[in-house]
Amino acid sequence: MSIPFYSGILIFIYNSVLCKKNISCFIFFKIYNNKKLMKGNYILNRLFIKIILIFIFFTGILFSQTPEILKRNFFFCEGSIGEIKVYVYIYLDDKNITGKYYYDTIKQFINLEGTVSGNTFNIKETVNNRITGYFSGTISDNSVFSGEWSSYDGNNKYDFNFSKKSSYPINSIDIITSALKADEEGNRYFESVKDAIIIKNDKNSNPIDKISLDVDGIKSLNENRIHFLLNSAIMDEYGSWKEELNDNMDFYIKREIEVSFLDDKIISFSIYNYSYTGGMHGIYNSIPSIYLISTGERVGRNISELIENKNDRDLINLMRSKLLRNFNEKDFFDFYSIELSDTFDITPTGIKFIWPVYKIAGYAQGIIEADFTYLELKPFIKKDSVFWYLFEK
């Protein structure tokens, strides 16, 4: 056998160790046991085996810090608590269940957080960090959630039942997370977390695949390929961090993807980014990515797609009154020069405008948001906007 053949096998195994795969080692030993391939130079073959074993041993040490792959399932569900219809956004893994829901009559999100054990779960619901109720129930094999809801004081109890809304083109998403945390001798800390998604697409809709490929920037629908790309990106960051001369520099990178709104026409993702690579503090933002389900086209990149005239005096005054509910004029760089943000997201009750950190105020004020109801904004909306149907409900 030739030296290039051995080199090729060596490179193949190296890549597989990096990806935490064992298939290449299996292939190698199958090749080794094939007498037709291995007959020839006996000494060279034995030497090659020793080199491979040493190589695998030291490569394992080199990549002892390897990212962990996690997976969550997102379900968009419809059902009821007692006699009242609810819509539920559920994130589920082997141990945890989180999300949010709203009553059809109120349309205000209520946060969910709980634990899973087998097919049973227990959830607490909160509004403004205050516990308002509990869910206790089971999950069936076909993802039906059922059980009993009780109020915080236990005085009110109702049966609940909700399941995936099968009439929607999108109702289930796999969220794949790669995460690496490393503490170097107690004086430097590294953490990188990255999300990617695969929208369940049983009908092989091209627009839905188009959304999956675009929203996370990974450009793949293959789960193993996504694992490789996420892990490779994190290992590149880790390698660069290890080479830095500043021994006291911590490193944090995070990209989290969640569904912020979903109906039969639009899906919106909230993409949270945080980075700290030295300095006084990290930088973070929350970017909505809104898509038309029928075409896979990303929309809502600019306020001109929504608002007829962003300088309308009544609209500006309404925006100012919203901002002053949580802040004072002095909290802003120049309160009377603030314009309606180009960044906005969809909610069950209306439109949320988002100003990034440092856009209109200092770091201490953080990301600034202002919620408008559909009724409040309707006079200012373009009639030919792709979002107009939301204001006609």
Side-chain angles (χ1 to χ4, degrees):
M1 295 180 69
S2 65
I3 294 297
F5 174 83
Y6 292 115
S7 301
I9 293 293
L10 196 65
I11 293 170
F12 191 24
I13 292 177
Y14 171 83
N15 289 332
S16 296
V17 171
L18 179 62
C19 299
K20 301 175 73 173
K21 303 288 184 184
N22 294 321
I23 188 171
S24 59
C25 296
F26 170 79
I27 291 172
F28 165 74
F29 286 112
K30 290 291 286 183
I31 291 173
Y32 176 69
N33 288 327
N34 189 319
K35 294 181 179 179
K36 290 183 180 179
L37 288 175
M38 297 303 294
K39 68 180 180 179
N41 193 324
Y42 176 78
I43 296 175
L44 182 59
N45 291 338
R46 291 292 299 273
L47 178 62
F48 178 65
I49 291 295
K50 291 179 181 180
I51 292 172
I52 285 294
L53 293 174
I54 294 170
F55 179 79
I56 291 174
F57 174 77
F58 283 105
T59 304
I61 294 175
L62 178 63
F63 293 106
S64 59
Q65 297 287 4
T66 55
E68 179 184 12
I69 290 292
L70 307 170
K71 186 176 178 180
R72 293 182 297 160
N73 301 115
F74 166 82
F75 302 109
F76 180 77
C77 300
E78 180 183 48
S80 62
I81 301 176
E83 300 297 323
I84 305 176
K85 179 181 281 191
V86 293
Y87 295 95
V88 190
Y89 296 62
I90 286 289
Y91 299 87
L92 182 68
D93 61 30
D94 293 336
K95 297 180 180 179
N96 303 291
I97 181 169
T98 59
K100 56 189 178 182
Y101 80 99
Y102 64 89
Y103 291 93
D104 190 44
T105 53
I106 301 175
K107 292 183 170 59
Q108 189 67 45
F109 276 128
I110 300 170
N111 294 316
L112 302 172
E113 183 177 2
T115 57
V116 177
S117 178
N119 69 332
T120 64
F121 64 88
N122 291 281
I123 298 174
K124 67 179 180 181
E125 64 169 50
T126 59
V127 177
N128 296 325
N129 296 318
R130 182 174 62 88
I131 299 174
T132 55
Y134 301 94
F135 292 82
S136 179
T138 59
I139 310 169
S140 71
D141 292 338
N142 57 343
S143 302
V144 175
F145 301 79
S146 60
E148 183 179 75
W149 176 93
S150 60
S151 60
Y152 175 71
D153 57 15
N155 292 335
N156 298 296
K157 296 183 179 182
Y158 300 100
D159 291 337
F160 70 83
N161 184 289
F162 46 83
S163 58
K164 288 189 294 184
K165 188 168 177 59
S166 58
S167 63
Y168 276 14
I170 296 175
N171 56 46
S172 181
I173 300 173
D174 289 339
I175 301 176
I176 300 162
T177 303
S178 180
L180 176 61
K181 300 177 182 180
D183 192 353
E184 297 291 324
E185 299 179 356
N187 63 345
R188 293 202 309 168
Y189 184 77
F190 175 95
E191 181 174 347
S192 182
V193 180
K194 300 182 188 299
D195 281 354
I197 69 158
I198 301 175
I199 301 174
K200 293 295 184 64
N201 188 8
D202 296 334
K203 295 183 178 179
N204 296 317
S205 165
N206 287 331
I208 289 178
D209 282 346
K210 182 179 177 181
I211 297 171
S212 286
L213 291 168
D214 184 74
V215 68
D216 55 26
I218 297 299
K219 306 298 183 185
S220 178
L221 299 174
N222 180 278
E223 189 168 335
N224 289 331
R225 175 67 176 167
I226 290 173
H227 292 177
F228 171 77
L229 293 172
L230 291 177
N231 287 0
S232 295
I234 288 178
M235 290 306 296
D236 285 347
E237 292 169 349
Y238 181 68
S240 297
W241 175 73
K242 291 275 288 184
E243 294 174 2
E244 290 291 335
L245 296 177
N246 184 359
D247 292 336
N248 296 317
M249 186 186 73
D250 290 337
F251 182 99
Y252 298 86
I253 292 286
K254 182 176 289 187
R255 182 186 67 202
E256 297 176 332
I257 303 175
E258 291 193 346
V259 178
S260 55
F261 179 81
L262 176 61
D263 65 11
D264 60 334
K265 295 181 175 61
I266 281 177
I267 184 168
S268 179
F269 297 91
S270 177
I271 304 176
Y272 175 79
N273 296 288
Y274 176 85
S275 66
Y276 175 81
T277 56
M280 292 294 294
H281 53 69
I283 296 296
Y284 62 97
N285 59 35
S286 181
I287 303 173
S289 292
I290 309 170
Y291 296 87
L292 295 179
I293 296 174
S294 60
T295 65
E297 177 189 2
R298 186 175 174 186
V299 294
R301 295 173 181 265
N302 191 283
I303 195 175
S304 62
E305 298 178 47
L306 179 70
I307 300 295
E308 189 72 52
N309 177 14
K310 70 174 184 178
N311 296 315
D312 185 286
R313 181 51 49 191
D314 291 335
L315 178 58
I316 294 297
N317 287 336
L318 180 60
M319 175 200 70
R320 289 172 178 169
S321 68
K322 298 278 186 183
L323 292 174
L324 292 177
R325 289 181 181 179
N326 298 311
F327 300 96
N328 298 314
E329 289 185 16
K330 64 181 181 180
D331 291 325
F332 301 95
F333 296 140
D334 185 351
F335 180 72
Y336 290 98
S337 68
I338 296 174
E339 296 182 341
L340 209 55
S341 178
D342 275 324
T343 304
F344 63 90
D345 203 358
I346 314 298
T347 76
T349 56
I351 303 295
K352 176 191 295 183
F353 290 93
I354 305 166
W355 289 265
V357 176
Y358 288 130
K359 182 68 174 181
I360 59 175
Y363 186 85
Q365 281 67 44
I367 297 172
I368 296 175
E369 300 175 346
D371 288 288
F372 294 71
T373 67
Y374 290 125
L375 184 61
E376 288 175 323
L377 268 185
K378 188 173 181 178
F380 312 104
I381 301 300
K382 287 182 172 181
K383 300 299 188 295
D384 60 350
S385 170
V386 296
F387 302 105
W388 175 248
Y389 79 95
L390 294 165
F391 297 84
E392 293 187 303
K393 294 182 178 179

